[in-house]
Amino acid sequence: MAKKSSGANDVERGRWSAKRKSEAVLRLLKGEDLDTLSRELKVNAATLSGWRDIF
């Protein structure tokens, strides 16, 4: 039987929930700098841009 992972581990491995993605995108839309936010969240800037475009 597979062990169920915790939400925190999912983020560390690169898996983000829709809620967490939305929170990151909203920060961008409120004017936070893409590169700064990317470094803080440890997410590639292109990934954040893609989430924003989809949003």
Side-chain angles (χ1 to χ4, degrees):
M1 183 180 228
K3 183 179 176 185
K4 189 169 184 168
S5 65
S6 71
N9 287 337
D10 286 346
V11 172
E12 290 171 11
R13 286 188 323 217
R15 298 193 52 156
W16 283 63
S17 68
K19 180 181 178 183
R20 296 248 327 166
K21 288 179 184 178
S22 296
E23 290 170 352
V25 168
L26 288 172
R27 289 177 65 180
L28 287 174
L29 294 176
K30 289 179 181 177
E32 288 195 44
D33 181 66
L34 175 65
D35 291 327
T36 303
L37 188 59
S38 171
R39 284 190 295 275
E40 177 187 328
L41 300 177
K42 297 180 176 123
V43 176
N44 186 296
T47 299
L48 281 175
S49 293
W51 293 347
R52 182 185 55 205
D53 293 345
I54 292 168
F55 191 80

